[in-house]
Amino acid sequence: MVLQMFRRKAEKRIVELSHDEVRLMREALLAFRNKLLSAGKPTEDVNELIIKVMK
């Protein structure tokens, strides 16, 4: 418990992508999400990333 008090907070990183890079990332995330769905695994984290990329 004491060690948790001294942990550093996660730093936020902002990445600027071109339109083509955003398209490629979106397609890759959707393909990965579909792979997870077909394997019956949870997709909540990937869904959150897709939403962030779409904004």
Side-chain angles (χ1 to χ4, degrees), residues 33 36-37 41-51:
R33 179 181 176 273
L36 290 174
L37 282 172
K41 296 186 178 180
T43 61
E44 291 84 17
D45 295 334
V46 178
N47 291 340
E48 288 180 28
L49 283 173
I50 292 170
I51 290 170

Side-chain angles (χ1 to χ4, degrees), residues 3-4 7-8 10 17 19-20 27 30 32 34 36 51:
L3 292 176
Q4 290 178 349
R7 280 190 181 172
R8 292 180 56 189
L17 303 173
H19 294 292
D20 289 334
E27 289 175 4
L30 288 170
F32 183 58
N34 290 338
L36 290 174
I51 290 170

